[in-house]
Amino acid sequence: MSKRILVVGGVAGGASVAARVRRLDEDAEVVMFERGPHVSFSNCALPYHLSGQIEQSDDLVLMNPTIFQTQYNIDARVHSEVVKIDPEKKQIDVKHVQTGEITQEAYDKLVLSPGASPIVPPLPGVDHNHVFTVRNVVDIDRLNKFVQNDTVEEVTVVGGGFIGLEVAENLVHAGKKVTLVEAQNQVMAPFDYDMVQILHKEMSDKGIRLILDDGLASIEEDKLTLQSGTEIPSQAVVMSIGVRPETNLAKDAGLEIGKTGSIKVDHHYLTSDPHIYAVGDAIEVHHKLTHQKTRLALAGPAQRQARAAAGHIYGLPSRNTGVIGSSVVKIFDMNAASTGLNERMLKSLDYDYDVAYVIPSDKVGIMPGANQLHFKLLFEVPSGRILGAQAIGKGNVDKRIDVIATMITMNGTLEDLQETELTYSPVFGTAKDVVNFAALVGLNLLNGRYKQVKVDQVRELVENDAFIIDAREKGAYRMGHLKNAHHIPLSEFRERLDEIPEDRPVYIYCRSGQTSYNMTQALTNMGYENVFNISGSFLGVSYYEYFNDQEQNREPIVTRYNFN
Amino acid sequence: MSKRILVVGGVAGGASVAARVRRLDEDAEVVMFERGPHVSFSNCALPYHLSGQIEQSDDLVLMNPTIFQTQYNIDARVHSEVVKIDPEKKQIDVKHVQTGEITQEAYDKLVLSPGASPIVPPLPGVDHNHVFTVRNVVDIDRLNKFVQNDTVEEVTVVGGGFIGLEVAENLVHAGKKVTLVEAQNQVMAPFDYDMVQILHKEMSDKGIRLILDDGLASIEEDKLTLQSGTEIPSQAVVMSIGVRPETNLAKDAGLEIGKTGSIKVDHHYLTSDPHIYAVGDAIEVHHKLTHQKTRLALAGPAQRQARAAAGHIYGLPSRNTGVIGSSVVKIFDMNAASTGLNERMLKSLDYDYDVAYVIPSDKVGIMPGANQLHFKLLFEVPSGRILGAQAIGKGNVDKRIDVIATMITMNGTLEDLQETELTYSPVFGTAKDVVNFAALVGLNLLNGRYKQVKVDQVRELVENDAFIIDAREKGAYRMGHLKNAHHIPLSEFRERLDEIPEDRPVYIYCRSGQTSYNMTQALTNMGYENVFNISGSFLGVSYYEYFNDQEQNREPIVTRYNFN
């Protein structure tokens, strides 16, 4: 007898489960229920409708029920909300959204892919009709039509995650005056505070008013008020502070909920009921590096879960080594990618780790379009196992992070990474790719050949009159340098050793960390015992300080900023 | 007492050795000898001077002797050709190119990085002054000045490797009428014959006259003649048929030469003499996948060799797991990258392997700038170990190949690759990245869930009236299809099963391999025992046939070509 397989939710995970079931079993009856009017739309592409990069909102819909029917023999029912599961009877209640009618559907296996819903805190004014969330095609269509009205000049985006940033950028492209409000002291949680300053600056430079460390208090017709009392004129507000897994259906059915508040599943995405699977943003998953359960609302892992769950219905085992959390975002001219754990997470997990922060050129410097690439590599001490990386720049940062993600998947170490032989042509990169270079720096740190201080320690050094050397040549130094730095170029230091003290620590920087590394090594080899390279060097410190100075209205420690 | 370390050759490998020695030992006396007028230039960027992308040839020189001296305390001597090594006396003879004077220099350790020289076969006319090779800044400067003359309208490039293709493209950008002659039946040996047709077409489309399977016979003032007798008008000829390792110096010194004809080195790049190292294009290296010695003239490996050799002088061990051969090239609008072994190599090594060839979109299809990406993944049977990959398209093919290169470095399998969690945003890729997708296809092949025929078998099928199904919908079919294909769209096949024979093999294709895969699976699940997906599908077959039809003047099996 053929199996009857019901799927709750028709986007990403749900649609993938249904299609995979069909590929495994031509006879199965597959029905997919979706509350909204669309199945299988590109949720990640929604923000790009606001700038017109995706002209028609209809284009966001990848497959319609007719195609599911004719091509896959899948019954995709829209406007159909599953409101109850009866695990005993193996039956669900489906509410037909437009009529209110409720019908029952029996299943052999049920797969939940309900997703997660935007969090809207119960604050005064959040129910105004100029307040929006961005979850689906209907949402983005409504928001887009609203902001196209000329009376909407100012828009505030609340929340600086992926969706918040992408919505903010696309609204700027659409000609709006955009404010972005974030309750934390930084946007984009996957990045560390030092790296994310580059994104803060990019957003400011491109005209976004960025307000950090402040939260929404209330919304009125033509403005909103923050917890600090700051008022922001806004004719439209987009709420993107985060998502909450949709677990009500599962809870009501008595399915086990995990510690994270998401649906608990086993190795094969089976819930606590042996006939109900769950995948996607509503479940908690095993993290390969923390060894803990976590929530991860990303499309790639959802697809893999869908495949594994569908396979398991048919007795196919699948390997589940856990997620690592890889992501990338474009913010105006900057691309920012990350994978694995960042420093905040590593500290909270009490990992013994170290960091290599380098800023080389993303391709051969003389080629048109070459740009600096900020790259931060995190690794375990003493094993050298690679734990995470972050990369920001105008070039192909995603490819470097994908290499690190692959390394993490394979439990790779700095040794492995330094010898990884990547593609090279001056059009695409450098012979010693940034990931190889970062691995070498990491190995030198691990082997104690080299000591460093991090960008967040530099202000203290400057203010305490530490002995800091700017190792760059004259022209670069004149374009800006650290306050009180001693200017001793690499080309002169061997003749000016008498200026470098042996009885106190010496801190060295250049623009990108390579010149200063050479001087650090040379002085160490000469017998200087306390020589430190400034990690991230001038460019990293400049980015780090730039935004902090402005925000905290404090005395700059960088005499001038030269970000080019 | 400080060491005296001499380095022969001041480009790539040589310069890297010298700089690394200095970082390890501030006291060492380091002298680098370079026959030409420049040390440390970007040899990979040379062709880009011809189009003006790199305006000044001086820009190609990255470091001059003064910088080596002041910043690294390295004595870089140009116009200094090392003409003899006396291993007994640990001494070399250096000829000062401009004066002819010869002096002796003693060493503690000697590092050879002489590189490889362009092969110029002894054919009539190759010594004309309108015949060029491209090895260094002097060469490219001379070629550039020559072709800038308006009387030079037609240029022929002999040899279709990296340099040949890049020179040809840049000459087209400079307004020249370019012919490229290649003795093999394809350009770019790292790629298989099926994949490389995309590059053949791109070059033809962009105005290059591409002549394959024909070799140079002789060169005259205003034309050249091929072995076939074909005459090609040319006012300039660039010879780029390959390079020959510079081993004379090593041979004369009695150093052991390997089977490949290159200098033999051990794990740490030590030659047969305990005080002489060798790195770069003149040595033979261990190949991780073939377990044999090979020659590999690439910049990335050379840098790693340099680092290892310099480290070994100071007693530092280094891991040497062998090369895999990763590379990338841009040809007009196409990017082409490869790593590991290709089918030709696998066959010659008698590997049991299989191939997944898929052509998905390189980013979410609705995003501006999305393009198809041809991806070929090679893996071992039955282990699933990944052996190589090739990717060609307008988008970021390099990042996909870098992931595979990392996998090969880590001895990864299809299982590993399918679960690798890569960065995703619709701007950069697809939620199920092409490498994940290819791994899934590979696993299905490995597990016998799915059978395929390769693009090079399709002509035979068509000519023998095999039962071939075009699974695409009407519009796509009308734009072009395989001759004699039965048009049974995925959306109709379940109602038209009576048209599909059960007693003979059925071959299915679509545009990219995904739709046909669904139909292949469905029919197999229905009990059809002999259903095959056509690997590479319509797009792959079209590219494969397109060029062959023209070249071999044969009857097309594709009714029309639709490459978009």
Side-chain angles (χ1 to χ4, degrees), chain A residues 54 72 138 151 265 269 309 335 367 376 380 404 445 529 536:
Chain A
I54 294 174
Y72 292 92
V138 174
T151 62
V265 292
Y269 307 99
N335 301 320
M367 295 300 292
K376 181 172 177 174
E380 191 178 47
I404 304 298
L445 287 167
E529 284 177 6

Side-chain angles (χ1 to χ4, degrees), chain B residues 410-424:
Chain B
M410 301 303 291
N411 306 306
T413 64
L414 294 171
E415 279 282 357
D416 297 318
L417 186 60
Q418 75 96 0
E419 72 177 339
T420 300
E421 190 188 325
L422 302 171
T423 61
Y424 160 62

Side-chain angles (χ1 to χ4, degrees), chain A residues 152-330:
Chain A
V152 179
E153 288 178 15
E154 296 151 313
V155 185
T156 299
V157 177
V158 183
F162 291 99
I163 296 175
L165 262 62
E166 286 170 349
V167 165
E169 175 184 349
N170 281 280
L171 287 172
V172 169
H173 292 317
K176 304 300 165 187
K177 202 163 173 295
V178 178
T179 301
L180 191 135
V181 178
E182 166 59 52
Q184 302 297 314
N185 66 351
Q186 68 164 78
V187 301
M188 293 297 293
F191 292 85
D192 282 315
Y193 186 73
D194 51 0
M195 293 292 285
V196 85
Q197 305 308 332
I198 303 164
L199 298 183
H200 289 168
K201 178 172 186 304
E202 179 70 4
M203 294 167 73
S204 296
D205 286 355
K206 293 300 185 331
I208 290 180
R209 181 180 172 196
L210 182 57
I211 298 177
L212 300 173
D213 271 325
D214 206 348
L216 180 67
S218 66
I219 301 175
E220 286 165 71
E221 200 62 45
D222 208 46
K223 65 170 187 193
L224 52 78
T225 307
L226 301 182
Q227 284 162 9
S228 64
T230 305
E231 296 190 342
I232 303 171
S234 300
Q235 294 81 54
V237 180
V238 180
M239 298 296 295
S240 57
I241 59 176
V243 295
R244 180 180 289 128
E246 294 219 10
T247 54
N248 287 343
L249 196 61
K251 270 185 202 160
D252 292 348
L255 300 182
E256 209 170 324
I257 302 297
K259 272 188 241 167
T260 68
S262 296
I263 302 171
K264 192 168 177 168
V265 292
D266 77 355
H267 182 97
H268 291 102
Y269 307 99
L270 198 56
T271 67
S272 52
D273 182 288
H275 304 291
I276 307 178
Y277 293 81
V279 302
D281 298 357
I283 68 167
E284 60 178 31
V285 289
H286 173 74
H287 196 293
K288 179 182 171 70
L289 296 170
T290 68
H291 308 301
Q292 294 168 10
K293 299 298 173 208
T294 188
R295 286 160 52 190
L296 187 74
L298 292 175
Q303 288 211 348
R304 257 185 297 280
Q305 293 154 18
R307 184 181 165 87
H312 193 252
I313 293 175
Y314 292 91
L316 299 177
S318 64
R319 201 161 73 171
N320 183 344
T321 57
V323 298
I324 59 173
S326 306
S327 65
V328 60
V329 66
K330 183 183 98 65

Side-chain angles (χ1 to χ4, degrees), chain A residues 493-513:
Chain A
F493 84 102
R494 290 183 179 85
E495 278 70 52
R496 293 172 59 185
L497 288 176
D498 53 334
E499 298 175 39
I500 304 174
E502 294 189 68
D503 55 352
R504 56 186 291 207
V506 173
Y507 303 89
I508 310 179
Y509 71 89
C510 59
R511 178 182 157 284
S512 66

Side-chain angles (χ1 to χ4, degrees), chain A residues 19-20 22-26 42 44-45 48 53-54 59-60 62 69-73 166 296 298-301 303-304 307 316 319-330 335-339 364 366-368 396-399 401-403 405-407 409-413 415-416 418-428 431-433 436 440 443-444 449 473 490-494 515 517-518 521-523 525-526, chain B residues 19-20 22-26 42 44-45 48 53-54 59-60 62 69-73 166 296 298-301 303-304 307 316 319-330 335-339 364 366-368 396-399 401-403 405-407 409-413 415-416 418-428 431-433 436 440 443-444 449 473 490-494 515 517-518 521-523 525-526:
Chain A
R20 171 74 173 155
R22 175 57 66 234
R23 278 195 296 271
L24 291 171
D25 181 2
E26 180 62 22
S42 176
C44 299
Y48 298 91
Q53 282 190 65
I54 294 174
D59 290 341
L60 291 160
L62 306 173
Q69 186 58 64
T70 56
Q71 295 197 352
Y72 292 92
N73 189 22
E166 286 170 349
L296 187 74
L298 292 175
Q303 288 211 348
R304 257 185 297 280
R307 184 181 165 87
L316 299 177
R319 201 161 73 171
N320 183 344
T321 57
V323 298
I324 59 173
S326 306
S327 65
V328 60
V329 66
K330 183 183 98 65
N335 301 320
S338 76
T339 187
V364 173
I366 53 175
M367 295 300 292
N396 45 10
V397 302
D398 52 327
K399 107 168 155 177
I401 294 300
D402 279 354
V403 167
T406 308
M407 267 293 159
T409 298
M410 300 305 289
N411 307 305
T413 64
E415 279 282 359
D416 297 319
Q418 75 95 359
E419 72 177 341
T420 299
E421 190 187 322
L422 303 171
T423 62
Y424 161 63
S425 134
V427 181
F428 296 90
K432 187 190 289 170
D433 191 86
N436 302 132
L440 292 175
L443 280 171
N444 281 331
R449 302 191 69 80
E473 304 302 315
L490 184 63
S491 62
E492 298 177 12
F493 84 102
R494 290 183 179 85
T515 299
Y517 168 62
N518 279 299
Q521 290 291 74
L523 288 175
N525 291 338
M526 286 174 187
Chain B
R20 171 74 173 154
R22 173 57 67 235
R23 278 196 295 274
L24 291 171
D25 181 2
E26 181 61 23
S42 176
C44 299
Y48 298 92
Q53 283 188 67
I54 293 174
D59 290 342
L60 291 160
L62 307 174
Q69 185 60 61
T70 57
Q71 296 198 351
Y72 292 90
N73 189 21
E166 288 170 347
L296 187 74
L298 292 174
Q303 287 212 345
R304 257 186 296 283
R307 185 182 163 86
L316 298 176
R319 201 161 75 173
N320 183 344
T321 58
V323 298
I324 60 175
S326 306
S327 65
V328 61
V329 66
K330 182 181 99 63
N335 302 320
S338 75
T339 188
V364 172
I366 53 175
M367 295 300 293
N396 44 10
V397 302
D398 51 330
K399 106 168 154 178
I401 294 299
D402 279 354
V403 167
T406 308
M407 268 295 163
T409 299
M410 301 303 291
N411 306 306
T413 64
E415 279 282 357
D416 297 318
Q418 75 96 0
E419 72 177 339
T420 300
E421 190 188 325
L422 302 171
T423 61
Y424 160 62
S425 135
V427 181
F428 296 91
K432 187 189 289 171
D433 192 87
N436 302 133
L440 292 174
L443 280 172
N444 282 330
R449 302 191 69 80
E473 303 302 316
L490 183 64
S491 63
E492 298 176 13
F493 84 101
R494 291 184 178 85
T515 298
Y517 168 61
N518 279 299
Q521 291 290 78
L523 290 174
N525 291 338
M526 285 171 186

Side-chain angles (χ1 to χ4, degrees), chain B residues 75-252:
Chain B
D75 183 1
R77 302 187 191 166
V78 295
H79 299 303
S80 300
E81 182 176 4
V82 177
V83 292
K84 194 185 151 198
I85 305 169
D86 186 334
E88 299 266 316
K89 290 191 189 158
K90 292 172 74 178
Q91 173 181 298
I92 59 174
D93 285 7
V94 182
K95 178 174 156 192
H96 302 267
V97 176
Q98 290 159 320
T99 63
E101 188 197 355
I102 290 182
T103 53
Q104 277 76 41
E105 300 281 348
Y107 61 79
D108 293 306
K109 300 288 173 186
L110 178 68
V111 184
L112 306 178
S113 179
S117 54
I119 296 171
V120 180
L123 296 171
V126 291
D127 48 1
H128 277 299
N129 68 1
H130 69 297
V131 181
F132 299 84
T133 55
V134 177
R135 185 183 185 182
N136 52 39
V137 179
V138 175
D139 289 348
I140 204 73
D141 213 20
R142 202 169 74 89
L143 171 59
N144 190 52
K145 289 200 172 100
F146 190 87
V147 297
Q148 276 187 354
N149 193 318
D150 285 347
T151 62
V152 179
E153 289 178 15
E154 298 152 313
V155 185
T156 299
V157 177
V158 183
F162 291 98
I163 294 175
L165 263 62
E166 288 170 347
V167 164
E169 175 185 351
N170 280 282
L171 287 171
V172 169
H173 292 316
K176 304 300 164 188
K177 202 162 174 293
V178 177
T179 301
L180 191 135
V181 177
E182 166 59 52
Q184 302 297 313
N185 66 351
Q186 67 166 76
V187 301
M188 293 297 294
F191 292 85
D192 282 316
Y193 186 72
D194 51 2
M195 293 291 285
V196 84
Q197 304 309 331
I198 303 163
L199 298 183
H200 289 167
K201 177 172 185 305
E202 178 70 4
M203 292 167 73
S204 296
D205 287 355
K206 294 300 188 318
I208 289 179
R209 180 180 175 197
L210 182 57
I211 298 176
L212 300 173
D213 272 324
D214 206 348
L216 180 66
S218 65
I219 301 175
E220 287 164 73
E221 199 64 44
D222 208 48
K223 67 172 187 192
L224 51 77
T225 307
L226 300 182
Q227 283 161 8
S228 64
T230 306
E231 295 190 345
I232 303 170
S234 300
Q235 294 81 53
V237 180
V238 181
M239 298 298 294
S240 57
I241 58 175
V243 295
R244 179 180 290 127
E246 295 220 11
T247 54
N248 287 342
L249 196 59
K251 271 185 202 160
D252 292 347

